[in-house]
Amino acid sequence: LLSCRLYCEEAKDPKRRSCQTVLAEALDIVIRSFAPILPHLAEEVFQYIPYKKDSEGVFRTGWINASSAWKKPGIEEAIEGACAMRDSFLGSISGKNALEYEVIIVIEPGLLFELMEALQAEETSSVSQLNEIMMASQTTLLSELPKETPADANITKGTFLINLEGGDICEQSPYKVIARPIAKAKCPRCRRYTAASSSTPCPRCLQVLAAGKGST
């Protein structure tokens, strides 16, 4: 997830910038957490952060002050639900390369489906947050089983308990994860199986490369 966003997306792409923001926030909290125990190490790390403009040091810039913007309702449950489905997917392919597969997630209309839609607005995507979590080359989100399922597909069933508003909203949601070998070629740039041929980058990488040439 991190490597794909940091190394494959365009430098100013919101996905890449948001990843950098999260890493910066996490580093700041970790430094301030161990500063009372390892003061010299904390100060040295703090002084080497390239984007920090404060010269006063870690001990004069206050304690941990996480923004309330990080506490977005439902996002924790969405990530946990997606991770549960990813575990089902990875368990069904017996240690094989997850990027060699495409995933179809089937969830009946309800709260869990809405949470997954927050991670993937499109029905099928190779660049959505949901697909990044699934670690596959492509993810499809459906509300009912497809009419035709290939014979070589692995189907795994599971349930996920959604607990929101301190327990005021609870819903046990069943889901199905269908994993099947993807028919596309391996992109020579991002290493995902999303290209038309092994000698040509995938559409996403072609777009990023074109944008890079246009800015030079």
Side-chain angles (χ1 to χ4, degrees), residues 15-192:
K15 291 182 180 179
R16 184 176 186 274
R17 298 292 291 127
S18 65
C19 182
Q20 291 177 312
T21 300
V22 171
L23 291 174
E25 182 73 9
L27 178 60
D28 185 82
I29 291 176
V30 169
I31 293 172
R32 297 182 192 278
S33 297
F34 68 67
I37 305 172
L38 300 169
H40 298 292
L41 177 60
E43 184 62 35
E44 182 177 3
V45 174
F46 190 82
Q47 293 298 331
Y48 274 94
I49 296 178
Y51 50 82
K52 283 288 185 183
K53 297 182 179 179
D54 299 318
S55 59
E56 296 181 348
V58 66
F59 291 98
R60 295 189 178 184
T61 53
W63 183 236
I64 298 172
N65 185 25
S67 172
S68 59
W70 295 105
K71 298 179 181 179
K72 186 176 180 181
I75 192 64
E76 182 178 353
E77 287 73 19
I79 298 299
E80 289 180 350
C83 288
M85 296 174 199
R86 179 192 62 194
D87 291 344
S88 297
F89 161 54
L90 295 178
S92 71
I93 60 175
S94 303
K96 297 179 181 178
N97 184 3
L99 290 175
E100 296 179 357
Y101 288 81
E102 62 174 315
V103 175
I104 301 174
I105 299 174
V106 183
I107 309 171
E108 295 181 0
L111 187 53
L112 182 59
F113 187 86
E114 293 175 3
L115 290 175
M116 293 305 104
E117 280 189 315
L119 300 177
Q120 179 169 301
E122 309 88 352
E123 182 177 285
T124 300
S125 177
S126 61
V127 296
S128 68
Q129 295 181 54
L130 179 58
N131 186 66
E132 289 177 340
I133 294 172
M134 295 303 294
M135 300 170 62
S137 280
Q138 179 176 287
T139 297
T140 299
L141 180 62
L142 300 175
S143 58
E144 58 183 12
L145 280 170
K147 294 181 180 180
E148 296 183 2
T149 303
D152 59 348
N154 297 321
I155 302 178
T156 306
K157 298 180 181 180
T159 59
F160 182 74
L161 176 62
I162 302 172
N163 193 333
L164 293 171
E165 304 294 337
D168 293 338
I169 301 176
C170 288
E171 184 176 300
Q172 187 84 18
S173 300
Y175 63 82
K176 296 182 180 70
V177 177
I178 304 172
R180 61 185 184 186
I182 195 164
K184 297 181 181 180
K186 185 177 182 179
C187 173
R189 182 174 181 270
C190 69
R191 305 298 181 183
R192 291 187 175 184

